[in-house]
Amino acid sequence: MNKAFILLIALIFTSCSSKVVPVDSNQKVESAEGITEPKKPKDTEVWEPKPKVVLVNEETKIPSDAIVLFNGRNFDEWVSSVDSSQVTWVLNPDKSMTVKNKAGDIQTKRNFGDIQLHIEWKSSEEIRGHGQHRSNSGVFMQNRYEVQVLDNNDNETYVNGQVGSIYKQGIPLAKASAKTGHWNVYDIIYHAPKFDSAGTKIKPGSITVLHNGVLIQDHYKIKGTTEFIGWPKNEAHGKAPIKLQDHRDNSGVSYRNIWVREL
């Protein structure tokens, strides 16, 4: 028997034996990539890095790492979007604020990127107008991307402009509105779009919205800026304010209990 034949037999034996899977669960089991599968529970335990501790206030339900943007006492965290002057919206005894008609939008003094936002809003108890003119306002991420606020109770409108829509873009998965004149809650998870050094968008922004605890936007990929007429735009930008809209049609929309966590 020559040496070449002996070498061939050895290679065949080695190749076959490497594919044998042990029947004993205590023996090593290798994947197709040759990575050894863990044999003990502790082999898949990860101990670092430890997540930070966030405490939630039992009374207010506000997380300990949140920035309180409005607690009903003042407008210290806000300015007019028109000219950065002092806010002139109505501060109410019940620790809410109400849009002052034709006073203009307001926005946060701080700029934000990726956030978790909690905001409560209420339509006017008095029916004012119909369609898009009934308690219309909006919550804008980075001063550009709007989550619609509207009284849709017995008040139909186009579905990409109804309550909870990403205005003129994302149709809500459900309509979970409170009764007219009652408080609603939006819990929003927002991730900002990414742009390269040339200003080209390389990753769209995304938004998830819970309306009164109901999922109505599920990681929706934002097409671009909110536009009343025309297509969404995608000019490069960085962090920017959160904006609340004065629709300038005597909306009577109120807001309260606004806080944000930076992600």
Side-chain angles (χ1 to χ4, degrees), residues 123-243:
S123 60
S124 169
E125 295 179 14
E126 175 191 359
I127 300 299
R128 303 175 183 179
H130 64 277
Q132 288 288 306
H133 295 283
R134 182 181 295 182
S135 288
N136 188 321
S137 184
V139 182
F140 285 76
M141 307 299 112
Q142 295 192 310
N143 225 341
R144 293 167 172 83
Y145 314 111
E146 181 187 10
V147 181
Q148 174 75 309
V149 168
L150 190 72
D151 179 8
N152 271 158
N153 295 306
D154 300 317
N155 179 41
E156 294 303 310
T157 188
Y158 44 93
V159 292
N160 64 345
Q162 75 171 58
V163 63
S165 64
I166 309 306
Y167 187 72
K168 288 288 184 81
Q169 296 185 40
I171 300 168
L173 300 173
K175 184 166 73 173
S177 297
K179 294 179 180 179
T180 298
H182 289 227
W183 285 101
N184 292 266
V185 177
Y186 278 167
D187 285 298
I188 298 170
I189 308 297
Y190 168 75
H191 290 280
K194 306 295 183 186
F195 301 88
D196 65 17
S197 58
T200 303
K201 186 175 75 172
I202 56 176
K203 184 178 181 180
S206 67
I207 191 163
T208 296
V209 183
L210 292 164
H211 183 188
N212 296 327
V214 176
L215 181 66
I216 63 167
Q217 299 287 351
D218 188 6
H219 197 71
Y220 177 80
K221 291 182 179 180
I222 300 169
K223 295 180 175 67
T225 54
T226 295
E227 303 292 336
F228 181 52
I229 300 174
W231 302 123
K233 309 300 187 294
N234 282 287
E235 295 182 1
H237 64 84
K239 291 184 176 183
I242 297 165
K243 182 172 73 176

Side-chain angles (χ1 to χ4, degrees), residues 30-36:
E30 294 190 356
S31 70
E33 294 79 17
I35 301 172
T36 302

Side-chain angles (χ1 to χ4, degrees), residues 75-89:
F75 292 112
D76 288 355
E77 291 285 342
W78 301 83
V79 293
S80 167
S81 297
V82 178
D83 55 10
S84 297
S85 61
Q86 187 173 354
V87 173
T88 60
W89 286 18

Side-chain angles (χ1 to χ4, degrees), residues 8-20:
L8 178 61
I9 295 298
L11 288 172
I12 293 172
F13 178 81
T14 302
S15 175
C16 293
S17 63
S18 66
K19 295 180 180 179
V20 174

